[in-house]
Amino acid sequence: MRYFKIIKNAFCLALFMGVVLTSCRSDENQYTDNKRIEELLSRMTLEEKIGQMVQKNGGSFSDSLVRAGRIGSVLNEISVEKQNRIQKMAVEESRLGIPIIFARDVIHGFKTIMPIPLAQAATWNPQIVEKGARVAATEAASSGIRWTFSPMVDVTRDPRWGRIAEGFGEDPFLTSEMGAALVRGYQGENLSNKTSIAACVKHLAAYGWAEGGRDYNTTNIPENDLRDIVLPPFKRCADEGALSMMTSFNDINGVPATGNKFLVNDILREEWGYQGLVVSDWVSVIQLITHGVAADEKMSARMAVHATVDMEMASTSYETYLKELLHEGAISQQQINDAVRRILTVKFILGLFDDPYTNPNDFPEMLNEKHLAVSKKAATESAVLLKNEGLLPISEDIKTIAVIGPLADAPHDQLGTWIFDGNKQNSVTPLEAIKKMAKAKGIKLLYEQGMEISRSKEISSPGRVQAIAKQADIVLLFLGEESILSGESHSRANIDLPGAQQELVKLAAKSGKPVATVIMAGRPLTFEPVLEYTGAVLYAWHSGTMTGPALADLLFGHESPSGKLPVTFPRHVGQIPIYYNHRNTGKPATNETWERMDDIPVEAPQLSIGNTSHYLDYGFEPMYPFGFGLSYTKFEYQSIETDKNDYFQTDTIRVSIKLKNTGDYDAAEVVQLYIHDKVASRAPVMKQLKAFEKVFFKTGEQKTVEFELPVSALGFHNLEMDYVVEPGEFIIMAGGSSETKLDTEIVIEKN
Ligand code: NOJ
């Protein structure tokens, strides 16, 4: 359901409020709300208006500011008692009684922690992602939080970037679908319902393009790529009705996002007609000074207002300088009124004017069984089976299992980054869950942590590791990264398994027993060096409260893995950026043309003929491609058909893909649809994901999966920056990964 339709004519604010309010309130209420907003605005002093544009961190302000109507929003105050006290001052003791909106980073769950967003993307299942967000919203709202700073839809091609964990990977389409699912989940069916919270789509924009994957770093991106790759998820979430957006910390081609009029005012507001609330990131308004584009706080406030950033988070340049800027004519009354209208609109839509207080008794209990079941399902569906030489699922003949590794029983780390309110006491670890399941099956379980933490430089108990591995019929290794090694400002230049983990794998393998490895991490890790020592790899990310039960089900075959990679896994960090939707280059590499370093004769002459684009040492292919993931069963892709061969620009292409579960397990498969524009005025990328569906198959079952693809989805931004679908031949491809199995050709005609 869309609450927040985009209006093409950006300046039609009255109409906008009508549209927004219509979709969640009765006509009469909407009329009253519009009237109340205008009435309020006409009664507000300049100080009160500026006050609405101020967001303060919990505990950093005095009661008198609230009573004076000088604060619009508070973040990070999660004591309901304190919130209600603050709200009472705002609503009952301030001149106009405008409620405060309480905000918080509820990124992947509040108390019931869902898998990290990157793992949620690996489910390729928007329904479960939406359910997870609904759970998060309900729990957060019961703590008085009505505004979350999520989803983060920053597309990235760099696994070194710590915040890759918080987004949905490298693909604009998958990111768009996941972002939209979170928006639906947070905002619910009816935004004035007490369990609904406002989404905040962030970080506008190109934050994931940080040079070298170093957080906050400079970002250079051609406008075409900005429009084709980075911005589509923001547009998708705007169309889904997201009530707010957040500007990013980075500069884009030299212009920091928070002061970027082109990005926020021209594209977001004027081109897209977005009238939601735009908030800065934490002190990013005054960081315009650090970036070097503003001389002082006054100038940074002016730049942010001109960019149409409505609310300043944490820093104080708005409250200090907007009045002066207005009197000097450097900003206008209209700009302030528009910002305040947008802020008040969100508060009205959420019903805060009518019902500003929180009573936790009005809500279901946190961490209840239903919530935990959603978390478990999301965790189960997010794990990606990357290698399996018949080790998994664990055979019924196994009598003794050795569980080894620093992540097997790490209740805090399995929760992942950005869990302000999650509690490790509620985590069920893999060790706990496997123990329980092994007991029920009469299997003996031996356990040794092996290393204190993921970064430990030494194996703490090599003797015991070897001894239990020898006694076991199978070794289950739990490796990866602690949660603190990914997330904001936690980028890594080396993304190998940290510490002594490579040695740990070798030591376990030395036992001669089969070794299956579960990797729990906030990003793709480069673990190729250990592949030869392990017969199976299940990539489990940091998958939240219910990681343990989800993994136990998968390892023992109660569930078949169905996750697929939302991001390309490099073999070596030096290959980055490596991503599936790349251009062909003039000299694409093949296995035949890849000149292996070790094969080069001594003093070989340097030639310029027959060369291709690859690395001498690591070739040109990734360790695992985007969209990849194995199952316990096998899927045979049998045929692809389109309803016609020729299409006009306004047509819809109907694609049918036939596939069959030819293996021995019931399982779900993610059917993926890609396109390639054969000739275009701007070099086309080799593959672009355009549709996907997760479908369940019983053993032996054959199904035809149908997709409807509007021709308008096949376009790109040309050199004039117009979005065009150029007539000509296109290839439509399908498969269970970006390494597709089937293809067919169509022609797009001129209209
Ligand atoms: C900084 C982060 O970049 C942003 O994502 C977050 O929402 C804010 N801090 C508020 O905590």
Side-chain angles (χ1 to χ4, degrees):
M1 178 158 188
R2 293 179 184 185
Y3 300 103
F4 219 41
K5 290 204 184 119
I6 295 304
I7 298 154
K8 293 291 170 220
N9 181 343
F11 299 107
C12 200
L13 199 58
L15 170 62
F16 150 77
M17 287 193 294
V19 173
V20 172
L21 297 174
T22 312
S23 39
C24 53
R25 299 171 70 85
S26 70
D27 284 355
E28 203 180 315
N29 278 342
Q30 167 219 326
Y31 172 72
T32 327
D33 288 346
N34 282 346
K35 232 178 106 187
R36 282 167 81 186
I37 290 172
E38 291 312 312
E39 235 170 52
L40 257 182
L41 259 179
S42 69
R43 291 172 57 209
M44 287 169 88
T45 61
L46 179 59
E47 284 79 6
E48 284 163 342
K49 287 180 185 173
I50 293 170
Q52 286 304 305
M53 299 168 74
V54 170
Q55 184 177 58
K56 294 269 185 199
N57 199 35
S60 73
F61 53 89
S62 63
D63 291 356
S64 58
L65 271 189
V66 183
R67 289 199 184 94
R70 298 288 189 84
I71 295 177
S73 173
V74 171
L75 79 157
N76 296 332
E77 177 54 78
I78 54 148
S79 147
V80 176
E81 205 187 319
K82 283 192 193 155
Q83 286 168 359
N84 283 340
R85 195 183 66 80
I86 295 168
Q87 195 69 299
K88 187 164 186 290
M89 289 189 282
V91 172
E92 297 175 35
E93 297 164 32
S94 80
R95 202 175 70 90
L96 295 172
I98 302 175
I100 301 263
I101 176 166
F102 292 95
R104 180 79 160 163
D105 289 282
V106 182
I107 306 299
H108 53 111
F110 188 70
K111 289 284 178 207
T112 305
I113 301 298
M114 305 294 154
I116 54 168
L118 188 63
Q120 294 186 34
T123 66
W124 292 61
N125 181 352
Q127 283 84 26
I128 190 66
V129 170
E130 181 177 337
K131 280 188 188 158
R134 195 83 285 281
V135 168
T138 308
E139 293 190 352
S142 74
S143 259
I145 305 300
R146 297 299 301 279
W147 186 13
T148 177
F149 300 130
S150 169
M152 186 189 102
V153 294
D154 294 309
V155 170
T156 187
R157 294 171 169 173
D158 202 325
R160 291 171 296 184
W161 189 48
R163 299 195 83 168
I164 191 172
E166 286 177 63
F168 305 109
E170 75 187 33
D171 181 68
F173 183 76
L174 181 61
T175 300
S176 297
E177 293 309 301
M178 292 298 160
L182 282 187
V183 171
R184 287 194 300 274
Y186 291 138
Q187 299 195 166
E189 287 281 312
N190 177 352
L191 266 164
S192 61
N193 183 297
K194 290 203 98 167
T195 64
S196 292
I197 65 177
C200 183
V201 188
K202 68 189 190 186
H203 306 83
L204 190 73
Y207 186 32
W209 238 244
E211 276 183 357
R214 183 159 58 82
D215 205 6
Y216 316 128
N217 208 1
T218 267
T219 298
N220 284 299
I221 182 165
E223 190 180 330
N224 314 63
D225 288 344
L226 182 73
R227 289 178 178 275
D228 287 337
I229 299 161
V230 166
L231 291 180
F234 290 91
K235 177 73 168 69
R236 176 73 176 84
C237 290
D239 289 347
E240 201 63 46
L243 287 178
S244 69
M245 296 216 186
M246 183 189 293
T247 54
S248 55
F249 284 132
N250 56 292
D251 74 81
I252 302 151
N253 306 326
V255 186
T258 303
N260 199 320
K261 186 172 167 297
F262 169 66
L263 179 71
V264 190
N265 184 69
D266 301 0
I267 297 184
L268 179 74
R269 303 284 193 201
E270 295 197 4
E271 269 184 42
W272 302 357
Y274 184 69
Q275 288 292 349
L277 191 174
V278 173
V279 64
S280 76
D281 201 342
W282 182 271
V283 308
S284 70
V285 175
I286 61 166
Q287 280 173 8
L288 297 178
I289 305 169
T290 330
H291 277 286
V293 295
D296 50 31
E297 292 199 6
K298 186 171 166 187
M299 188 169 168
S300 57
R302 176 170 64 77
M303 287 178 72
V305 167
H306 282 298
T308 68
V309 174
D310 303 317
M311 190 180 273
E312 179 179 22
M313 186 191 291
S315 47
T316 55
S317 70
Y318 277 17
E319 61 192 273
T320 316
Y321 295 107
L322 290 196
K323 191 171 176 184
E324 212 173 304
L325 284 165
L326 181 70
H327 289 150
E328 287 167 7
I331 61 171
S332 69
Q333 184 68 58
Q334 164 97 35
Q335 283 172 315
I336 292 189
N337 284 352
D338 284 349
V340 176
R341 247 187 221 109
R342 290 189 282 255
I343 294 163
L344 294 179
T345 302
V346 169
K347 294 183 178 183
F348 267 105
I349 291 174
L350 290 172
L352 288 175
F353 278 88
D354 301 327
D355 196 356
Y357 300 109
T358 304
N359 178 356
N361 296 329
D362 295 344
F363 296 84
E365 229 187 298
M366 301 215 214
L367 289 153
N368 66 45
E369 258 176 44
K370 281 188 189 158
H371 291 187
L372 292 174
V374 173
S375 168
K376 182 181 169 194
K377 185 161 168 53
T380 309
E381 291 202 26
S382 70
V384 187
L385 185 64
L386 294 176
K387 176 177 180 180
N388 191 15
E389 290 171 345
L391 285 194
L392 297 177
I394 295 167
S395 145
E396 308 242 312
D397 304 334
I398 296 282
K399 300 274 178 294
T400 308
I401 296 176
V403 170
I404 298 170
L407 269 300
D409 195 26
H412 171 78
D413 292 312
Q414 74 181 42
L415 296 179
T417 184
W418 273 115
I419 40 119
F420 278 180
D421 305 287
N423 235 313
K424 68 174 183 178
Q425 282 75 12
N426 304 123
S427 295
V428 187
T429 68
L431 179 66
E432 270 175 84
I434 292 170
K435 241 186 206 163
K436 196 169 161 197
M437 209 171 269
K439 193 171 173 204
K441 290 178 187 286
I443 298 171
K444 184 168 172 196
L445 190 122
L446 306 165
Y447 169 63
E448 183 59 30
Q449 192 165 320
M451 289 166 61
E452 200 189 329
I453 52 170
S454 74
R455 283 167 289 162
S456 300
K457 302 246 178 331
E458 283 176 1
I459 300 172
S460 45
S461 45
R464 167 96 180 138
V465 166
Q466 267 181 311
I468 68 166
K470 278 196 185 131
Q471 283 173 55
D473 302 316
I474 186 170
V475 178
L476 297 180
L477 281 180
F478 286 83
L479 309 179
E481 288 180 316
E482 295 146 74
S483 55
I484 195 62
L485 299 187
S486 58
E488 186 177 351
S489 187
H490 286 75
S491 296
R492 292 180 61 199
N494 171 352
I495 54 169
D496 287 348
L497 283 163
Q501 293 186 67
Q502 293 195 11
E503 286 81 69
L504 187 64
V505 184
K506 290 178 195 162
L507 189 64
K510 228 170 148 189
S511 66
K513 296 300 170 63
V515 174
T517 304
V518 176
I519 300 182
M520 295 161 66
R523 59 160 65 77
L525 295 178
T526 41
F527 56 88
E528 196 179 62
V530 305
L531 268 180
E532 62 179 292
Y533 303 98
T534 178
V537 176
L538 183 64
Y539 214 83
W541 320 98
H542 292 138
S543 49
T545 307
M546 296 299 278
T547 299
L551 289 180
D553 276 358
L554 289 165
L555 293 168
F556 286 96
H558 300 182
E559 297 276 353
S560 177
S562 64
K564 301 275 184 174
L565 296 180
V567 58
T568 304
F569 272 44
R571 298 178 55 203
H572 187 272
V573 73
Q575 292 177 298
I576 298 168
I578 183 165
Y579 49 93
Y580 89 94
N581 49 352
H582 59 84
R583 300 198 168 91
N584 206 23
T585 79
K587 288 172 178 272
T590 62
N591 265 322
E592 289 68 48
T593 60
W594 169 21
E595 193 183 12
R596 277 112 179 130
M597 185 124 109
D598 294 342
D599 299 343
I600 302 175
V602 178
E603 295 195 359
Q606 171 79 51
L607 300 176
S608 71
I609 298 166
N611 294 328
T612 58
S613 177
H614 60 255
Y615 297 102
L616 296 177
D617 45 1
Y618 280 91
F620 59 99
E621 284 178 320
M623 179 162 58
Y624 297 106
F626 174 82
F628 177 78
L630 301 168
S631 166
Y632 291 154
T633 198
K634 290 234 165 335
F635 291 100
E636 187 183 283
Y637 280 77
Q638 299 176 321
S639 68
I640 181 166
E641 273 173 30
T642 53
D643 59 335
K644 294 192 288 179
N645 291 328
D646 287 28
Y647 296 87
F648 290 105
Q649 300 268 337
T650 48
D651 283 347
T652 293
I653 309 161
R654 293 188 170 74
V655 192
S656 313
I657 293 137
K658 198 186 283 176
L659 66 154
K660 186 174 178 184
N661 178 353
T662 56
D664 299 331
Y665 294 84
D666 297 347
E669 167 70 332
V670 179
V671 182
Q672 303 165 38
L673 191 81
Y674 295 84
I675 63 127
H676 171 59
D677 187 349
K678 284 175 80 175
V679 179
S681 57
R682 192 167 169 250
V685 301
M686 297 310 289
K687 272 177 192 173
Q688 286 179 73
L689 181 72
K690 288 293 165 188
F692 62 86
E693 200 176 332
K694 196 164 196 172
V695 187
F696 189 80
F697 291 77
K698 290 218 156 288
T699 318
E701 196 175 5
Q702 183 191 52
K703 281 186 183 172
T704 301
V705 179
E706 317 242 329
F707 291 107
E708 293 199 345
L709 184 63
V711 171
S712 59
L714 307 187
F716 65 98
H717 284 86
N718 66 12
L719 298 180
E720 286 73 43
M721 231 45 77
D722 293 323
Y723 181 80
V724 286
V725 180
E726 290 183 346
E729 292 173 353
F730 284 73
I731 308 179
I732 314 265
M733 294 156 277
S737 110
S738 60
E739 282 180 359
T740 46
K741 299 275 187 231
L742 301 168
D743 58 77
T744 184
E745 284 196 24
I746 57 157
V747 175
I748 305 298
E749 305 284 354
K750 271 195 197 130
N751 256 10

